[in-house]
Amino acid sequence: MQNPAGILSDIWTSVGGDVAALERVRLTGAEPQIPSSFRVAVAGQTTIAAAGLAAAEIWRLRSGEAQDVAVDMRHAVVECRSERYLRLDDKPPPPAWDAIAGVYRTGDGRFVRCHTNFPHHRDAVCNVLACAPEREKVQAALMQWKGEDFETAVYATGGVVALMRSYDEWSALPQSRALAELPLISIEKIGDAPAKPWPQGLSNGDRPLAGLRVLDLARVIAGPVAGRTLAAHGADVLLVSGPALPAIPWLTIDTGRGKLTTFIELKSEAGRAQLRELLKDADIFSQGYRPRALAALGFSPQDAASINPGIVYVTLSAYGHAGLWAERRGFDSLVQTTTGFNHAEGQAAGIDGPKELSAQMLDHATGYLMAFGAMMAKARQAREGGSWHVRVSLAQTGRWLWNLGRLEHGLSTPDLTGEAVHAAFMETVSSGFGTLTAVRHSAMLSTTPAQWSRPAMPLGSHLPQWPARS
């Protein structure tokens, strides 16, 4: 199996990173770190290191000063489970899932996973099954369905569920074959524009992305992790949400560190005008909404490049931008189920049914790849001009993780206890919610240490405007 340094090298050079920069990276720790037959700890370490190295390279471009980057594997995998370890006023997180979310058997002996954390997704499941939102009633109703028919019916009504497939079943689908033709990270030029100089006036204590402005239109984990990472390296990140959009409070707190947060109602022309004004002065536009949802409101990649030539536009999707499932909604847990991970972990554990990965690694790794891609595209824009589109997907990250190989006895690894994690990798900070004990960023930069200079705040706490550049 390829070692972590080799895996990082492949990620770094796949989008044109300078090979010489890899000499300044130190990866420590050994796998496995948490119970899994997949190389989840290495996946976390190498994607975080890629983003950290991109930040270090931007610092070199802006200041002329090279610096070292170090990522410890245990710290990295802890950060990739940051939502588990967060404490608010010393209290642990509430249950992560809605009452009817999870795994069910269907009438044809298959397994399906329902994702119902958002009310409209729960309603879609119950409407298709014509039952109340109670686990026993959902299970009884599903015994009248074939698994694939149920999956198709729920997607048709705006819900999100997944039939558990083996890796071989997934590999036989056209969507899997479509992903095989795509890179892990796609960075494409989508328009002409002059090169934008870096913001001027780096001062003592600045970080690599100081003065850069990021519009963060994303929810749940992957997209928000990308924004949190850019904020850790000094960007002004403005999280844009809608007052009526459902959110998962604990994730909002964990991924909101370092960000400003505002409400804009994009269904109104006034709200769209507000976002256009913000976009005119942005450097990066990062979004993880359903494919084409923002395009319908006038904020496609091409629209953004017209409003602000030179923009770096980052798109997250569930199943990739090509193939029959390009428009399909999805979350980490569902993509794990669809693409063979749950089946494979269940087999490795000797159980009849699905077993989840021990971290939502598709989400977290994809978030770091989003931040990495955004920074690499921004460096390219500053060098040669153009507007750029960065694309990643949960399923493509899953394909990459699968191809890293398996750990024969990985599932017998003891899990990391909260006590060990808290002693080594946590920090206590104030926030708009109370006192947070949260995981520190695991990419250690020798000259510009990562940090979140803004506290996590309730959604909509700030005006829809950029802070002045110092």
Side-chain angles (χ1 to χ4, degrees), residues 108-126:
D108 59 346
R110 301 296 295 266
F111 291 93
V112 292
R113 183 181 298 279
C114 297
H115 195 294
T116 56
N117 278 4
F118 290 154
H120 62 294
H121 291 157
R122 181 179 61 234
D123 292 345
V125 167
C126 293

Side-chain angles (χ1 to χ4, degrees), residues 148 151-152 155 161-165 169-176 178-179 290-291 317-330 334-335 337-340 393 395:
E148 190 169 2
E151 180 186 58
T152 301
Y155 271 109
V161 301
L163 174 69
M164 187 181 79
R165 293 173 173 87
E169 285 180 305
W170 163 246
S171 298
L173 292 181
Q175 189 60 33
S176 178
L179 285 178
R290 182 172 53 83
S317 62
Y319 291 101
H321 60 269
L324 298 174
W325 288 19
E327 297 295 315
R328 182 168 282 208
R329 305 169 181 87
L334 299 175
V335 177
T337 305
T338 298
T339 61
S393 72

Side-chain angles (χ1 to χ4, degrees), residues 19-321:
V19 174
L22 292 164
E23 297 175 5
R24 296 190 292 273
V25 181
R26 184 166 58 93
L27 303 178
T28 57
E31 57 186 333
Q33 291 285 338
I34 56 176
S36 178
S37 69
F38 289 92
R39 300 181 72 189
V40 289
V42 164
Q45 180 186 40
T46 54
T47 52
I48 290 170
L53 185 56
E57 277 293 279
I58 288 176
W59 180 257
R60 185 183 64 80
L61 292 172
R62 295 183 69 180
S63 72
E65 179 184 17
Q67 62 177 312
D68 297 329
V69 179
V71 183
D72 176 71
M73 190 183 295
R74 176 161 294 192
H75 192 169
V77 79
V78 165
E79 189 174 6
C80 290
R81 304 202 299 181
S82 57
E83 66 277 0
R84 298 188 185 198
Y85 301 119
L86 182 70
R87 297 292 182 267
L88 174 58
D89 295 329
D90 291 327
K91 295 173 184 168
W97 297 100
D98 174 72
I100 65 165
V103 173
Y104 297 87
R105 281 190 181 271
T106 56
D108 59 346
R110 301 296 295 266
F111 291 93
V112 292
R113 183 181 298 279
C114 297
H115 195 294
T116 56
N117 278 4
F118 290 154
H120 62 294
H121 291 157
R122 181 179 61 234
D123 292 345
V125 167
C126 293
N127 289 341
V128 165
L129 296 178
C131 73
E134 300 171 18
R135 287 199 70 86
E136 296 78 9
K137 292 181 178 179
V138 170
Q139 179 59 81
L142 276 167
M143 296 311 293
Q144 308 305 312
W145 283 81
K146 292 182 178 179
E148 190 169 2
D149 291 346
F150 173 67
E151 180 186 58
T152 301
V154 172
Y155 271 109
T157 61
V160 282
V161 301
L163 174 69
M164 187 181 79
R165 293 173 173 87
S166 69
Y167 181 71
D168 287 344
E169 285 180 305
W170 163 246
S171 298
L173 292 181
Q175 189 60 33
S176 178
R177 296 195 292 272
L179 285 178
E181 301 300 318
L182 300 177
L184 176 61
I185 308 157
S186 166
I187 302 180
E188 298 174 327
K189 187 177 180 181
I190 58 171
D192 294 323
K196 292 185 177 182
W198 298 104
Q200 296 301 306
L202 282 176
S203 58
N204 188 37
D206 272 343
R207 284 162 289 155
L209 306 187
L212 293 187
R213 292 169 169 173
V214 179
L215 281 170
D216 182 356
L217 281 80
R219 292 184 293 168
V220 191
I221 296 179
V225 162
R228 185 180 71 185
T229 305
L230 297 172
H233 294 299
D236 290 318
V237 179
L238 179 59
L239 173 62
V240 176
S241 186
L245 285 175
I248 301 173
W250 207 257
L251 296 180
T252 297
I253 298 170
D254 183 48
T255 62
R257 289 176 283 156
K259 302 178 186 180
L260 301 165
T261 169
T262 195
F263 282 145
I264 296 179
E265 179 47 82
L266 293 181
K267 293 181 180 178
S268 73
E269 177 51 40
R272 292 191 291 274
Q274 283 182 309
L275 188 59
R276 284 193 292 269
E277 287 301 309
L278 289 167
L279 177 54
K280 287 177 183 177
D281 293 320
D283 298 286
I284 296 168
F285 185 104
S286 179
Q287 72 96 6
Y289 283 91
R290 182 172 53 83
R292 292 203 282 196
L294 286 180
L297 298 173
F299 297 99
S300 70
Q302 290 71 26
D303 293 329
S306 176
I307 294 167
N308 180 358
I311 193 70
V312 171
Y313 191 107
V314 186
T315 296
L316 165 69
S317 62
Y319 291 101
H321 60 269

Side-chain angles (χ1 to χ4, degrees), residues 415-427:
D415 208 353
L416 294 176
T417 65
E419 291 76 14
V421 167
H422 286 189
F425 307 125
M426 308 293 282
E427 62 183 4

